[in-house]
Amino acid sequence: MEPFMAVSAKDFEWSNLDQDHQIRSVLDLFSELPFFELLTYSELDKLEHIVHIRTFGPGETVIRAQAPRLGMYVIQSGAVHVVRRGRDEDSIIVGTLLPGELIGEFSLLDSSPRSSGMVAAEFSTLIGFFQPDLMSLIDTDPNIGFKILMPLTQIMAQQHRRDMQDLRSLRRQLQEYDKTQNTISTAEQ
């Protein structure tokens, strides 16, 4: 009987162990997101092979404000702060995103500058999916591309409806404010 030998990460049979674990967690995470709900497990597996895994340390910039939009991220682990510049040019945290949340999903269709920056709040792992990846996927497998674009357009339409409701509400508030100011002005005369 051969003596027991220690296995190192450099051994061929074991070299992809962490990668396989990471692949499963990417697939599991994507399968739980409404954004990818139309994709089958085998389609998610294809998608997994074109995404990009990035890790960020605390305080490291994930996305710079005003940078062109090139793609989206899904937070796999950690947390990311949404930051904006205040009047005195200091960064103000306006929100924090957690695992499973999307960052910049509209950037798959729109490359206009980003309105907010993103900074890792702690050690974080993000899964990136970028415009060129989507375009390549549409060329090679239009069905998968459609299944990604359909929920994206639905999310954009929902956001547009919310924005329009907010705009109408603000317009009503401004009209009420104007009426109040006119009443005060008339009363003072």
Side-chain angles (χ1 to χ4, degrees):
M1 179 185 271
E2 293 184 26
F4 175 77
M5 296 180 62
V7 176
S8 80
K10 294 180 183 177
D11 290 336
F12 174 77
E13 293 177 332
W14 296 93
S15 63
N16 68 351
L17 185 61
D18 291 335
Q19 183 181 1
D20 285 345
H21 174 66
Q22 192 172 27
I23 289 169
R24 280 192 294 279
S25 65
V26 169
L27 292 175
D28 291 343
L29 179 62
F30 278 17
S31 69
E32 295 171 2
L33 294 173
F35 190 80
F36 298 112
E37 68 186 1
L38 297 177
L39 298 177
T40 65
Y41 194 79
S42 65
E43 291 168 334
L44 286 169
D45 185 55
K46 286 182 184 178
L47 183 61
E48 181 279 324
H49 293 298
I50 61 173
V51 298
H52 310 272
I53 308 296
R54 293 274 325 272
T55 56
F56 297 89
E60 188 175 350
T61 299
V62 174
I63 295 171
R64 285 183 175 75
Q66 302 308 312
R69 298 177 189 209
L70 300 175
M72 63 170 267
Y73 286 105
V74 178
I75 301 172
Q76 185 177 30
S77 66
V80 175
H81 290 312
V82 180
V83 294
R84 294 212 176 179
R85 294 274 180 220
R87 289 188 178 149
D88 56 0
E89 293 300 312
D90 287 340
S91 292
I92 300 169
I93 297 171
V94 295
T96 301
L97 303 173
L98 302 171
E101 294 192 79
L102 301 175
I103 299 172
E105 61 274 19
F106 294 169
S107 65
L108 291 173
L109 300 176
D110 176 22
S111 58
S112 62
R114 296 184 186 268
S115 59
S116 300
M118 306 281 176
V119 176
E122 57 191 61
F123 284 104
S124 302
T125 302
L126 281 67
I127 304 165
F129 182 56
F130 302 104
Q131 280 180 356
D133 302 325
L134 177 60
M135 295 306 128
S136 176
L137 189 60
I138 289 170
D139 284 342
T140 60
D141 197 331
N143 191 44
I144 294 176
F146 172 78
K147 288 181 174 184
I148 292 171
L149 289 173
M150 186 64 179
L152 177 60
T153 57
Q154 290 172 338
I155 291 168
M156 290 178 85
Q158 289 170 354
Q159 183 63 47
H160 177 71
R161 281 192 292 277
R162 280 193 301 269
D163 290 346
M164 290 305 296
Q165 288 172 344
D166 291 347
L167 183 60
R168 288 183 188 109
S169 176
L170 285 171
R171 185 178 297 142
R172 283 191 295 274
Q173 290 173 14
L174 281 172
Q175 289 170 345
E176 289 298 318
Y177 178 79
D178 285 345
K179 286 180 188 176
T180 304
Q181 291 301 313
N182 286 338
T183 302
I184 292 172
S185 176
T186 304
E188 289 176 351
Q189 293 177 358

